[in-house]
């Protein structure tokens, strides 16, 4: 009897239509209505399109599988390879349809993909029919189940369920456990359930209407969500009164005259934090810390706040029209400092922190934004408006301390210690009221469910399920009702707390009206949430469980695709407490085990938080040890016929300088995977991140993800030498590269040139990681970092520095044209550099999400190579071209003399670029490089004759 498992190679281990996946993923990031992510916020969610494509390709056999099993170690003939390429194109066509957002619920498209998965599974079962565990592992009538042990926002379990698999989700954090219950467990459990609310039951078509998937559940969430809103308004609506436009208000504002007598609904109140002036003459006055006085920059709808000063008093007046230049900065100076509104004296960051930590920060109302018949109306505040908000008293508030040194937290330095400190009194009132209404709704829903005909146990279960979504509404309101919500003057809307995955300080904040109909209101949020149900309720019953990935056993004999924490990029547990404190207040009676602790588990979360683990090195070791253990569990447990797909997302940088800081995390993660017993068989770059709207116009925040494909390494894996490893790389990588880029047009596996450097790491690491160890000449074990560098050298860039490698591959793709920062970031990481580093060398423009190489004519004059502390070969060559064109061979010779150590590499680069440009038909550029190639001997002669360069020599 055969005991060896025969595992066909999967499509994802050979090729993927990356361009189609990336395009769909990028598009999906801008979709709000109908997306299940609107149920509850979670950070760095994988796009559904990417998850769907990866799981499909992870389960479908590559066309080469049968020939390779029958001809191990042999090179296939070209006609066989051509037939594989054609078959892959057929599978690519399925993926291209599968990832389109409009096909998310298209049963025809989905069933085509499911049929392909079942076909591959039956092939695998037939291969292993004589295996002693065939009944357990290879039942052709039952697909293996799916598991994600780091389930997070639930995209991967949801997509596995959509593709026909029984789906399991687990996480150590209660918040994602609840999110996954709402995504894969509750909707399938109650799929086809008619709504139980009396309004739906009383409708004229109630007897005949068919409720598919989660439609009935969504209808009940809509009804009871509206009940919550109406009940809350009855109880605390007095805290959110409309503003009546009076004749006095209109006397100074002609635009208000048509509205006199009207009562306008307030959308938001705009506040500024205050601190006592450091000027002794005004020490008794709390002055505003306003980063801007601008309310609207919309064309013909501009508005701003004008501070009016009267001695040692001031008040704010809302004005319409073009804001004066100084309004844009408010009272803010550079580097986090402000100025005293009354005296102009600087207010230092240190002074603000001292006052804040002493509890002496205050707030002043600057403006009121109301909804008029023709758009936003900006009004001056009154003392009554301010007092109403400040004097509100909540029945309960989350006086629970958070970790001051958590990743991305900037608020602790300003006196905030407890979660309740992040909210105004009025916001605490609305949130505590809503939380209590969630608890009250459970009994109401259960009663209605019984009246609808459900049995007692089923009615109780259904009521509990609906309250999960109602509690999520409270989370949504919290995200839009905090003193960390800013005001966006460009689109005249408020910003939510989590415009990015951090908690930065906000000086002038927007307090929304939850009873309005604008962004951030209850109605707006729950309508979006209800639409998110459209993508739910497919397939088999899903299960979501709280479990630590380091000791879970759920993955046994299951297909695994997972999105683990990214080293030190996001502090999930610390951030999620923002929601947990409110969810616990609402749902602890319904889920006592899930909400048994005051806050989410932190110590065992696999995030390298330096302050929690005793410094950066200790945090790195904690991450490596913990991730190795978690990966070891997967290597031991997962179904042996399938590879494991693991996502790693690079940090979403706050600025370009930060973009190159996460390579340590990537290398540490790779080390953990290899050390855990996995052999890597693929690394696919997917651009699945997108900058938040808050910063998309002025920040290179786009990040990339790597999908790592791994299989269990055999226990008897051999050990080889460095020389043998390099020899095998030279055999394997050309074939792998051919598979990724062969042919053209429809015959091409669409891996863009900019992605090749990262994609080629996959087959290279497959060679490295299939061995127990690769030994250096001195007998030491080769590190992942060294293997990474050797694999990169395959692309014939040994003589070029990392910055030049980046420039060369970017030039291949874009020439001198602009490209997206996210693509540049992906390439730079693969080349061991950063976009900011290349920019600092003076050869790259990078700003506003746009990147392009500078042409030699754009290089600055007065260049001194002796003082250039970052001088890549790319810069040396193009400086030579610039000076050659101005001063001829003698001038170029002086430059070459000054960069003599880079001379040969410079010549090689010039020849390579000439060849590249000639093939591409870039005649002008080819001519420039050809001039250097053909004049090289003369330039070298001039360099020999040139006097030795001195520190004060300048070129051009």
């Amino acid at each position: 009897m055969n005991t060896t498992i025969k595992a066909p190679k999967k499509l994802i281990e050979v090729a993927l239509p990356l361009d189609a996946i990336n395009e769909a993923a990028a598009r999906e990031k801008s979709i709000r209505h109908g997306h299940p992510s609107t149920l509850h916020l979670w950070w760095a969610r994988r796009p559904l399109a990417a998850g769907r494509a990866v799981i499909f390709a992870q389960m479908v056999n590559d066309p080469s599988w049968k020939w390779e099993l029958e001809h191990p170690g042999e090179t296939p003939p070209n006609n066989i390879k051509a037939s594989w390429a054609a078959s892959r194109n057929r599978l690519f066509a399925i993926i291209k349809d599968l990832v389109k957002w409009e096909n998310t619920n298209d049963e025809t498209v989905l069933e085509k993909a499911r049929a392909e998965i079942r076909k591959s599974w039956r092939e695998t079962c037939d291969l292993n029919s004589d295996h002693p565990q065939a009944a357990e592992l290879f039942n052709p009538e039952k697909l293996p189940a799916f598991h994600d042990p780091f389930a997070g926002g639930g995209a991967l379990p949801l997509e596995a369920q959509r593709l026909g698999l029984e789906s399991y989700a687990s996480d150590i954090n209660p918040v994602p456990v609840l999110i996954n219950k709402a995504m894969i467990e509750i909707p399938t459990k109650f799929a086809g359930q008619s709504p139980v609310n009396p309004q739906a039951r009383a409708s004229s078509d109630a007897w005949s209407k068919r409720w598919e998937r989660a439609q009935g559940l969504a209808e009940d969430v809509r009804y009871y969500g509206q009940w919550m809103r109406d009940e809350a308004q009855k109880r605390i609506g007095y805290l959110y009164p409309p503003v009546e436009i009076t004749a006095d208000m209109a006397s100074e504002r002609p635009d208000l005259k048509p509205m006199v007598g009207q009562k306008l609904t307030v959308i938001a109140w705009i506040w500024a934090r205050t601190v006592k002036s450091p000027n002794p003459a005004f020490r008794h006055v709390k002055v505003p810390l306003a980063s801007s006085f601008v309310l609207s920059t919309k064309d013909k709808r501009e508005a701003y706040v004008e501070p009016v000063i009267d001695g040692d008093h001031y008040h704010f007046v809302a004005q319409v029209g073009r804001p004066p230049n100084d309004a844009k900065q408010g009272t803010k100076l550079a580097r986090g400092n402000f100025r005293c509104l009354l005296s102009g004296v600087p207010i230092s960051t240190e002074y603000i922190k001292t006052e804040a930590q002493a509890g002496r920060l205050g707030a002043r109302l600057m403006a009121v934004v109301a909804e008029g018949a023709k758009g936003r109306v900006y009004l001056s505040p009154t003392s009554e408006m301010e007092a109403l908000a400040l004097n509100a008293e909540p029945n309960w508030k989350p006086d629970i301390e958070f970790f001051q040194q958590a990743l991305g937290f900037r608020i602790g330095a300003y006196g905030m210690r407890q979660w309740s400190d992040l909210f105004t009194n009025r916001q605490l009132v609305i949130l505590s009221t809503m939380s209590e209404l969630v608890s009250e709704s459970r009994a109401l829903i259960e009663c209605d469910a019984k009246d609808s005909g459900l049995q007692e146990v089923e009615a109780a279960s259904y009521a509990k399920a609906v309250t999960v979504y109602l509690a999520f509404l409270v989370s949504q309101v919290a995200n839009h009702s905090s003193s960390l919500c800013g005001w966006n003057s460009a689109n005249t809307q408020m910003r939510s707390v989590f415009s990015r995955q951090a908690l930065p300080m906000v000086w002038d904040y927007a307090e929304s009206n939850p009873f309005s109909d604008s962004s951030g209101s209850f109605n707006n949020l729950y309508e979006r949430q209800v639409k998110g149900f459209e993508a739910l309720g497919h397939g088999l019953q899903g299960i979501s469980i709280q479990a630590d990935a380091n000791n879970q056993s759920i993955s046994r004999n299951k297909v695994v695709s997972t999105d683990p924490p990214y080293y030190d990029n996001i502090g999930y547990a610390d951030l999620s407490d923002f929601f947990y404190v409110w969810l616990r207040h609402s749902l602890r009676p319904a889920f006592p085990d899930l909400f048994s602790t005051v806050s989410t588990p932190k110590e065992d979360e696999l995030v390298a938080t330096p302050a929690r683990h005793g410094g950066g090195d200790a945090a790195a070791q904690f991450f490596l040890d913990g991730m190795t253990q978690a990966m070891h569990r997967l290597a031991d447990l997962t179904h042996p016929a399938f590879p494991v797909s693991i996502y790693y997302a690079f940090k979403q940088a706050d600025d370009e300088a930060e973009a190159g800081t996460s390579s340590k995390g990537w290398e540490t993660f790779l080390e953990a995977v290899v050390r855990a017993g996995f052999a890597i068989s693929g690394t696919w770059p997917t651009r699945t991140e997108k900058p938040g709207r808050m910063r998309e116009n002025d920040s290179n925040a786009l990040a990339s993800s790597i999908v790592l494909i791994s299989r269990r390494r055999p226990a008897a894996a051999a050990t080889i030498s460095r020389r043998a490893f390099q020899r095998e790389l030279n055999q394997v990588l050309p074939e792998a590269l051919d598979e990724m880029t062969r042919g053209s047009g429809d015959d091409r596996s669409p891996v863009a040139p900019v992605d090749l450097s990262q994609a080629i790491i996959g087959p290279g690491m497959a060679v490295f990681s299939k061995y127990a160890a690769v030994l250096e000449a001195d007998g030491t074990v080769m590190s992942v970092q060294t293997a990474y560098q050797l694999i990169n050298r395959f692309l014939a860039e040994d003589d070029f520095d990392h910055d030049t490698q980046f420039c060369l591959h970017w030039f291949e793709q874009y020439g001198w044209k602009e490209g997206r920062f996210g693509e540049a970031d992906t390439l730079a990481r693969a080349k061991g550099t950063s976009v900011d580093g290349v920019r600092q060398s003076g050869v790259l423009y990078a700003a506003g999400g746009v990147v392009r190489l500078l042409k030699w004519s754009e290089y600055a004059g007065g260049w001194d190579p002796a003082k250039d502390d970052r001088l890549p070969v790319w810069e040396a060559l193009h400086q030579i071209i610039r000076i050659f064109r101005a001063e001829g061979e003698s001038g170029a010779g002086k430059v070459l003399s000054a960069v003599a150590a880079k001379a040969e590499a410079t010549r090689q680069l010039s020849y390579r670029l000439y060849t590249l440009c000639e093939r591409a038909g870039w005649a002008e550029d080819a001519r420039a490089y050809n001039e250097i190639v053909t004049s090289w001997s003369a330039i070298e002669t001039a360099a020999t004759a040139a006097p030795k360069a001195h520190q004060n020599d300048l070129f051009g």
Side-chain angles (χ1 to χ4, degrees):
M1 183 175 285
N2 180 31
T3 59
T4 302
I5 289 177
K6 298 173 185 175
K9 184 180 286 186
K10 301 300 179 181
L11 178 64
I12 202 166
E13 295 175 289
V14 179
L16 277 181
L18 283 182
D19 283 356
I21 296 169
N22 288 337
E23 182 181 348
R27 180 190 172 205
E28 185 184 320
K29 284 285 183 175
S30 63
I31 291 171
R32 294 292 180 267
H33 297 294
H35 199 285
S37 63
T38 57
L39 294 178
H40 197 287
L41 184 144
W42 192 253
W43 301 272
R45 257 189 177 104
R46 297 306 90 212
L48 303 184
R52 202 176 308 144
V54 166
I55 294 169
F56 173 81
Q58 186 179 345
M59 298 198 70
V60 169
N61 297 338
D62 183 73
S64 67
W65 73 269
K66 191 171 184 179
W67 192 94
E68 291 190 352
L69 282 176
E70 294 172 351
H71 303 82
E74 295 183 28
T75 301
N78 287 336
N79 65 317
I80 295 291
K81 290 164 71 175
S83 71
W84 296 345
S87 296
R88 286 190 194 111
N89 281 336
R90 183 183 64 81
L91 295 174
F92 288 168
I94 293 174
I95 292 176
K96 289 173 183 178
D97 281 341
L98 197 60
V99 297
K100 292 177 182 177
W101 172 252
E102 56 269 27
N103 291 340
T104 301
N105 295 318
D106 189 317
E107 279 299 318
T108 301
V109 172
L110 292 171
E111 187 51 38
K112 194 173 183 179
R114 293 170 191 147
E116 203 67 45
I117 290 171
R118 291 192 296 267
K119 174 176 173 286
S120 290
W121 175 238
R122 285 192 295 269
E123 291 171 346
T124 304
C125 292
D126 288 345
L127 269 178
N128 294 278
S129 59
D130 60 346
H131 191 275
Q133 291 180 278
E136 176 188 355
L137 294 176
F138 299 105
N139 180 355
E141 302 305 318
K142 182 177 173 59
L143 288 170
F146 172 91
H147 179 222
D148 180 355
F150 297 98
L156 304 182
L158 178 65
E159 291 312 311
Q161 187 178 57
R162 198 189 311 278
L163 288 173
L165 279 67
E166 183 182 3
S167 192
Y168 288 77
S170 66
D171 205 290
I172 194 173
N173 189 321
V175 177
V177 172
L178 200 64
I179 292 172
N180 278 272
K181 283 184 179 296
M183 297 268 277
I184 67 167
E185 186 175 308
I186 295 172
T188 50
K189 182 178 181 179
F190 296 104
Q193 168 73 51
S194 299
V196 302
N197 72 78
Q199 186 181 72
R201 285 188 283 121
S203 65
S204 58
D205 62 347
W207 65 275
S208 61
K209 187 166 184 178
R210 183 180 176 185
W211 300 89
E212 297 182 346
R213 298 196 303 273
Q215 292 175 347
L217 181 65
E219 185 60 31
D220 277 333
V221 172
R222 183 195 305 275
Y223 176 86
Y224 294 106
Q226 185 65 47
W227 173 85
M228 276 178 57
R229 188 240 187 234
D230 294 343
E231 194 64 27
Q233 189 162 30
K234 290 177 190 175
R235 299 180 188 185
I236 58 170
Y238 67 91
L239 291 174
Y240 299 89
V243 177
E244 183 173 355
I245 306 300
T246 65
D248 286 344
M249 295 165 66
S251 63
E252 301 293 330
R253 288 268 303 275
D255 62 300
L256 296 180
K257 287 182 179 179
M259 298 178 235
V260 171
Q262 294 181 19
K263 292 185 177 181
L264 305 184
T265 299
V266 175
I267 293 171
W269 294 265
I270 312 299
W271 297 80
R273 300 190 196 275
T274 61
V275 67
K276 286 188 175 181
S277 172
N279 186 333
F282 299 101
R283 191 71 179 87
H284 60 292
V285 182
K286 288 189 173 184
V287 293
L289 305 173
S291 60
S292 177
F293 287 134
V294 177
L295 297 172
S296 172
T297 58
K298 284 190 173 183
D299 187 36
K300 298 181 181 179
R301 293 182 177 275
E302 295 96 335
Y304 62 97
V305 172
E306 179 188 5
V308 179
I309 301 170
D310 182 12
D312 61 354
H313 293 79
Y314 67 92
H315 65 278
F316 295 113
V317 177
Q319 301 283 17
V320 293
R322 185 177 296 277
N325 289 334
D326 59 358
K328 296 177 182 177
Q329 297 302 317
T331 62
K332 191 173 179 63
L333 302 176
R335 300 183 180 277
N337 301 316
F338 289 81
R339 62 178 174 83
C340 171
L341 179 66
L342 302 181
S343 65
V345 168
I347 306 175
S348 69
T349 302
E350 291 72 24
Y351 175 82
I352 296 171
K353 289 179 179 178
T354 300
E355 290 294 291
Q357 289 167 6
R360 292 193 287 267
L361 275 189
R364 281 286 297 269
L365 186 59
M366 291 199 300
V368 177
V369 185
E371 191 65 74
K374 296 182 179 180
R376 303 283 194 262
V377 179
Y378 303 94
L379 304 171
S380 303
T382 66
S383 56
E384 292 79 12
M385 295 176 184
E386 192 170 278
L388 182 66
L390 296 177
N391 294 330
E393 294 186 9
N395 294 328
W396 179 86
K397 56 182 179 177
D399 288 335
I400 299 161
E401 290 194 9
F402 55 79
F403 185 49
Q404 299 295 303
Q405 290 80 42
L407 295 171
F409 281 43
R410 305 288 183 267
I411 53 179
Y414 298 101
M416 296 184 180
R417 295 286 182 271
Q418 301 176 326
W419 287 110
S420 55
D421 295 335
L422 277 59
F423 305 92
T424 68
N425 281 352
R426 181 159 55 183
Q427 288 169 338
L428 289 169
V429 170
I430 182 64
L431 290 169
S432 59
T433 301
M434 289 283 188
S435 296
E436 289 156 9
L437 285 167
V438 172
S439 299
E440 292 178 28
S441 71
R442 187 177 168 196
L444 174 63
I445 299 166
E446 186 172 348
C447 182
D448 289 342
K450 290 177 185 175
D451 290 345
S452 74
L454 295 184
Q455 297 299 310
E456 186 169 345
V457 173
E458 192 176 9
S461 177
Y462 186 72
K464 177 179 171 181
V466 174
T467 58
V468 169
Y469 301 98
L470 300 182
F472 282 5
L473 286 171
V474 180
S475 289
Q476 298 273 28
V477 173
N479 190 30
H480 293 80
S481 295
S482 165
S483 66
L484 298 184
C485 294
W487 179 255
N488 189 331
S489 59
N491 64 6
T492 62
Q493 291 182 347
M494 62 173 302
R495 299 187 184 109
S496 63
V497 174
F498 292 108
S499 299
R500 48 180 164 156
Q501 51 227 21
L503 288 175
M505 189 59 172
V506 176
W507 297 107
D508 35 304
Y509 57 89
E511 182 186 10
S512 67
N513 179 1
F515 301 117
S516 72
D517 290 320
S518 184
S519 64
S521 69
F522 191 86
N523 278 353
N524 176 270
L525 294 172
Y526 98 83
E527 283 295 338
R528 280 175 51 187
Q529 186 198 62
V530 168
K531 288 180 180 177
F533 280 86
E534 293 172 8
L536 306 179
H538 286 273
L540 302 173
Q541 172 74 55
I543 297 173
S544 179
I545 308 165
Q546 186 176 19
D548 186 342
N550 282 5
N551 52 42
Q552 58 87 18
S553 58
I554 307 164
S555 296
R556 189 177 303 282
N557 296 331
K558 293 181 176 66
V559 178
V560 171
S561 182
T562 190
D563 182 25
Y566 315 132
Y567 194 62
D568 65 349
N569 295 358
I570 306 172
Y572 295 99
D574 289 304
L575 289 172
S576 65
D577 275 345
F578 178 92
F579 298 116
Y580 180 86
V581 293
W582 297 108
L583 290 169
R584 186 172 188 264
H585 189 57
S586 300
L587 295 176
R588 189 182 179 191
F591 299 91
D593 293 338
L594 202 55
F595 293 102
S596 61
T597 55
V598 173
S599 60
T600 60
K602 311 289 192 309
E603 296 303 319
D604 294 327
E605 182 189 42
L606 291 180
V607 174
T609 306
R612 180 166 282 127
H613 298 291
D617 291 343
Q621 191 62 49
F622 166 80
F623 179 84
L624 177 59
D625 292 344
M627 191 58 70
T628 300
Q629 185 178 343
M631 293 297 112
H632 197 280
R633 293 295 293 166
L634 295 184
D636 284 348
L637 294 173
T638 53
H639 198 292
F642 297 92
V644 173
S645 59
I646 310 167
Y647 292 76
Y648 186 92
F650 289 109
K651 189 169 186 178
Q652 198 163 3
D654 283 350
D655 53 46
E656 291 170 39
E658 205 174 277
T661 63
S662 60
S663 60
K664 182 178 181 181
W666 168 234
E667 290 170 6
T668 304
F669 181 75
L670 274 179
E671 188 78 47
V673 172
V674 173
R675 188 186 290 186
F678 272 124
I680 296 167
S681 55
T683 55
W684 298 103
T686 57
R687 287 179 291 279
T688 59
E689 314 303 316
K690 184 182 178 182
R693 292 178 179 269
M694 181 175 74
R695 301 166 54 250
E696 63 187 356
N697 294 323
D698 60 2
S699 172
N700 290 340
L702 193 69
S704 62
S705 298
I706 302 297
V707 183
L708 196 70
I709 310 304
S710 306
R711 284 187 184 266
R712 187 184 310 170
R713 185 168 55 245
T719 298
I720 63 165
S721 68
R722 178 188 179 113
R723 185 185 294 263
F725 169 57
Q726 289 181 285
R727 187 163 54 245
E728 190 169 349
L729 280 183
N730 290 332
Q731 294 171 349
V732 170
L733 293 186
E735 180 71 20
L737 190 65
D738 183 57
E739 292 289 357
M740 292 175 184
T741 62
R742 62 172 290 131
S744 60
D746 291 340
D747 293 329
R748 180 174 178 178
S749 174
V751 180
V754 74
D755 290 324
L756 274 179
S757 294
Q758 186 60 64
I760 201 67
I761 297 299
M765 287 303 295
V767 175
F768 175 76
S769 59
K770 75 179 182 180
Y771 293 104
V774 176
L775 300 181
E776 300 280 12
D778 61 0
T780 58
V781 175
M782 180 183 287
S783 69
V784 166
Q785 183 181 33
T786 301
Y788 199 88
Q789 291 168 349
L790 290 174
I791 295 163
N792 247 328
R793 286 185 185 177
F794 167 73
L795 297 177
E797 298 163 2
D798 323 37
D799 297 323
F800 301 145
D801 52 84
H802 297 303
D803 289 356
T804 300
Q805 292 178 31
F806 166 86
C807 293
L808 178 58
H809 275 262
W810 187 262
F811 187 75
E812 278 188 89
Q813 177 82 345
Y814 290 105
W816 308 111
K817 296 177 182 178
E818 294 180 346
R820 293 180 297 177
F821 177 82
E823 296 187 7
D825 190 27
T826 299
L827 181 60
R829 294 177 193 282
K831 296 303 177 186
T833 185
S834 67
V835 174
D836 188 60
V838 181
R839 183 184 62 80
Q840 288 176 11
S841 72
V843 302
L844 189 75
Y845 169 85
V850 170
V851 173
R852 68 175 176 85
L853 288 167
L854 297 176
K855 207 166 184 179
W856 56 80
S857 58
E858 297 179 274
Y859 284 24
W863 172 67
D864 184 353
K867 293 182 180 180
D868 193 336
D869 57 4
R870 186 163 184 151
L871 178 55
V873 172
W874 183 275
E875 182 185 11
L877 171 61
H878 291 88
Q879 289 286 10
I880 286 174
I881 292 174
R882 180 179 70 85
I883 293 169
F884 177 83
R885 292 199 155 192
E887 303 177 24
E889 293 163 358
S890 61
K894 289 180 183 179
V895 179
L896 190 62
S897 175
V899 297
K902 301 179 186 292
E904 179 57 23
T906 302
R907 185 190 69 81
Q908 289 182 13
L909 179 62
S910 182
Y911 185 86
R912 183 159 176 173
L913 287 172
Y914 163 68
T915 304
L916 189 157
C917 292
E918 186 182 41
R919 288 175 178 173
W922 300 340
E924 182 184 349
D925 295 321
R927 186 161 48 249
Y929 298 120
N930 188 51
E931 286 173 350
I932 299 300
V933 170
T934 56
S935 303
W936 191 257
S937 295
I939 294 172
E940 279 189 316
T941 301
T944 304
K948 188 175 181 180
H950 297 287
Q951 287 288 334
N952 58 353
D953 287 343
L954 297 177
F955 296 87

